[in-house]
Structures are given as structure tokens and as C-alpha cells.
Amino acid sequence: MQIGIVGSGNVGQTLGAGFIESGHEVMIGSRDPEKADLVAWKDRVGDGGRTGTVAEAAAFGDLVVLATAWDGTEAALALAGADHLAGKVLIDATNPMRFTTRLELTLGFEDSAGEQVQRWLPGARVVKAFNTVGWELMNRPTIDGGPPDLFICGDDEEAKGTVAELARELGWDVFDAGDLAAARFTEPLAMLWIGHAVATGSRNHAFKLLREAHDGPHQ
């Protein structure tokens, strides 16, 4: 599969490397495709990785990952171009956070970033995923009690199945949390994850839902 990534930070680079390890081709899109850290990323991942503009990455991908800081997401999607994303599975890994006197969610209760992304891109098949853990554990997480669960949600069952398969390739168990409105619940989990990281000084933790075998929408 060809995978485009919109967002060139730690999340995009880590997921990109993981997908390449699984045999996929990846293009990371950036306003500056030749900046030093992306050149270094290409050197690390080898022939399966390339960089381009945001629009080029969106056009390249059979599936596209959205891995931007929330305050830059709408602008990044404008650069990507809705026509390049129409009909494609779009993994939304964003979290709608802002810093005031403390870290806060900018959306919640009656809305979510996942739903907002879907409104911006009505032709895309948005699946919320990879937003409940730090980038260090996104690719083949090794942790006591693992593998952890990746919570996904979306309105398109086939798209969720595709994302679940990719997640399992990266070493995750997958829990289908329901339709895209469930992002209203999974996005606050990122706040809980960050709060624990700050309190303990460690980023080596992830969530797992304990359940009886074959109980619930576990993929």
C-alpha cells in the first residue's frame, strides 16, 4: 500500500517508519520536504520512504494519515487538497489541545476533532486512531502487560477494518469504539495519558481494556 502522511513531526515519522517496516511505501508531506530531520528520516528508513509537499503526499497515498498539531490542521488539509483525499481512508491521529494556564481540550462533550475533520473533508473516510498514546510507543509497543489496545472509531466499517489491519501490523491489539462520535471519548484519553506522563516523568505507558475473551467489539 502507498501511505501518505500529512504532518512531519515525531508522530508522522514514527508511523511512517513502522509502515515501511511492514512493507508499505510512505511519503511524508511537509512545507519543507528537504529539511534536515526529514532527510535524516529518509536515510534511516531506506527506499520505502520519501518526502514531498503536503499535496504530493496526499495524492500519493492510497491511505492518508493526518498527524498535525491541532492548530495547524485546517491549514494543512487545505494544502493537501480535498480532491486528493476524496474516497480515501484518512487516519486522524490529532488531538484538539491548547495550552492556556493548563493543557485543555478545544473540543469536547458535543464535538470532537475527528468529527470536525470529517466535516472539513466530507468525501474522505475518516477513522480516529493513534491519538491515545505517545509517539514513542506507536510502532511495535513493548510494554509490560502488552500489547496495549488501540482505540479506533469511524462511520465506515470497511475503513475501520483497513486501519485495524495496519495497527495490528504495528503490534497493537485493536478495540473498535464505535462510530466517529466516539472520538469525543477517545480524545480525552490523550489528556489522561499526558497527565500521567507529566506526573511520573515517564512516557512508557498505554491503555488496555480488560475483557472476557470474545467479549465486545474487539477486532
Side-chain angles (χ1 to χ4, degrees), residues 156-180:
D156 186 308
E157 294 299 322
E158 183 180 11
K160 284 195 290 186
T162 298
V163 174
E165 182 178 349
L166 285 173
R168 285 192 292 268
E169 289 177 1
L170 268 59
W172 288 88
D173 278 348
V174 178
F175 186 84
D176 183 345
D179 63 16
L180 192 56

Side-chain angles (χ1 to χ4, degrees), residues 63-89:
L63 173 147
V64 177
V65 179
L66 180 60
T68 53
W70 180 245
D71 60 3
T73 297
E74 185 175 11
L77 291 177
L79 290 174
D83 55 330
H84 291 147
L85 300 169
K88 295 181 179 180
V89 177

Side-chain angles (χ1 to χ4, degrees), residues 6 19 43 70 98 100 102 110 158-159 162-163 181 197 208 214:
V6 175
F19 295 140
D43 289 341
W70 180 245
R98 65 186 174 195
T100 55
R102 58 182 295 170
E110 297 179 351
E158 183 180 11
T162 298
V163 174
K208 189 169 185 67
H214 309 300

Side-chain angles (χ1 to χ4, degrees), residues 19-93:
F19 295 140
I20 291 166
E21 289 174 27
S22 297
H24 304 287
E25 297 179 69
V26 172
M27 179 184 287
I28 290 181
S30 171
R31 288 185 174 87
D32 181 7
E34 295 304 318
K35 62 182 180 178
D37 65 321
L38 287 181
V39 171
W41 177 83
K42 284 192 294 184
D43 289 341
R44 289 195 305 273
V45 299
D47 293 340
R50 64 193 77 179
T51 62
T53 67
V54 175
E56 287 170 341
F60 171 85
D62 303 312
L63 173 147
V64 177
V65 179
L66 180 60
T68 53
W70 180 245
D71 60 3
T73 297
E74 185 175 11
L77 291 177
L79 290 174
D83 55 330
H84 291 147
L85 300 169
K88 295 181 179 180
V89 177
L90 179 76
I91 297 177
D92 172 25

